[in-house]
Amino acid sequence: QKEVEQDPGPLSVPEGAIVSLNCTYSNSAFQYFMWYRQYSRKGPELLMYTYSSGNKEDGRFTAQVDKSSKYISLFIRDSQPSDSATYLCAMSSPSGGSYIPTFGRGTSLIVHP
Amino acid sequence: DAGVIQSPRHEVTEMGQEVTLRCKPISGHDYLFWYRQTMMRGLELLIYFNNNVPIDDSGMPEDRFSAKMPNASFSTLKIQPSEPRDSAVYFCASSTNRNTEAFFGQGTRLTVV
């Protein structure tokens, strides 16, 4: 079993839909939880991060962490075609003073007009 | 800063040939990561350096893979001899100490025929 599990999709939704992306993990030491967005033929870019449990909102995006269930989510409201990308969850714990991220496989999201 | 710079962007080589991938991290970043991304396995950490010193190479798949970081502004990932199963996108990323965000380059798409 991988440390971080993520359904690769693809997930296809109509424009304006609410999107829910999820990851589960097994390492209870993870403290930072991140979502990266990767457009086709590009490198991943950090979208949001949260520390420990709770919610964090940034515009149309909400990240949610439930450490008791080892489950994290990213919600996208009013989804747009420009949101079409692969979304990778990532998690990290302190290792020698830094935080080395472990990534999920990524979920491919397609928002069609 | 131009971000993390990788070269070449694309590489097509014949099985058995030596391949060298190059990376220039963001100036001032003291962590450098090499990742490999495939559809089947997602984004896998191969090796990371801290202050030019290799810290963890447990993700390097075989002895055919080697990585160096001769100075703070340059790193290489070498595959010798290359095999078709090495075909993937290889990403270099860098970050600072105690910073959870990793900044990725555009990647090198390697095809071994």
Side-chain angles (χ1 to χ4, degrees):
Chain A
Q1 183 193 9
K2 292 191 67 163
E3 273 192 303
V4 179
E5 297 282 356
Q6 185 176 12
D7 187 334
L11 179 62
S12 181
V13 301
E15 182 175 355
I18 297 174
V19 175
S20 173
L21 304 168
N22 312 294
C23 289
T24 59
Y25 63 95
S26 57
N27 186 349
S28 58
F30 286 140
Q31 295 183 6
Y32 279 89
F33 303 89
M34 295 153 278
W35 287 95
Y36 282 75
R37 181 172 60 194
Q38 184 178 20
Y39 290 113
S40 181
R41 307 275 177 172
K42 301 288 187 183
E45 292 181 305
L46 183 66
L47 184 62
M48 294 183 69
Y49 80 90
T50 55
Y51 175 71
S52 193
S53 286
N55 293 359
K56 186 173 184 179
E57 189 173 319
D58 184 1
R60 297 184 295 110
F61 298 87
T62 299
Q64 200 171 75
V65 175
D66 182 349
K67 290 192 75 177
S68 62
S69 302
K70 297 189 177 68
Y71 188 87
I72 72 169
S73 300
L74 177 70
F75 298 98
I76 307 175
R77 291 185 301 280
D78 187 25
S79 56
Q80 302 295 309
S82 58
D83 295 328
S84 298
T86 296
Y87 291 80
L88 300 99
C89 62
M91 308 173 188
S92 64
S93 58
S95 173
S98 188
Y99 295 80
I100 311 304
T102 299
F103 286 84
R105 284 181 57 187
T107 299
S108 175
L109 172 66
I110 302 166
V111 182
H112 51 86
Chain B
D1 200 315
V4 176
I5 299 173
Q6 292 186 246
S7 65
R9 289 293 310 276
H10 303 274
E11 177 80 37
V12 180
T13 190
E14 291 185 347
M15 182 173 62
Q17 296 298 306
E18 177 180 294
V19 175
T20 299
L21 311 181
R22 298 173 176 79
C23 175
K24 181 180 187 306
I26 293 173
S27 177
H29 283 193
D30 45 11
Y31 282 83
L32 184 139
F33 310 89
W34 282 101
Y35 286 91
R36 178 172 68 177
Q37 187 175 42
T38 61
M39 290 290 290
M40 287 297 295
R41 301 175 68 89
L43 200 60
E44 301 175 282
L45 178 65
L46 301 177
I47 185 172
Y48 78 90
F49 295 82
N50 178 213
N51 292 322
N52 314 337
V53 177
I55 302 300
D56 185 353
D57 66 354
S58 60
M60 297 285 260
E62 298 172 34
D63 291 345
R64 299 184 295 106
F65 286 70
S66 62
K68 294 182 180 179
M69 192 165 186
N71 57 63
S73 59
F74 184 67
S75 177
T76 59
L77 178 68
K78 186 176 293 187
I79 308 172
Q80 166 63 19
S82 57
E83 297 183 3
R85 59 192 168 124
D86 301 331
S87 298
V89 182
Y90 290 81
F91 285 103
C92 175
S94 68
S95 71
T96 61
N97 197 13
R98 291 185 289 280
N99 186 335
T100 58
E101 181 175 4
F103 293 82
F104 284 79
Q106 300 273 49
T108 295
R109 184 172 296 273
L110 173 65
T111 303
V112 184
V113 297

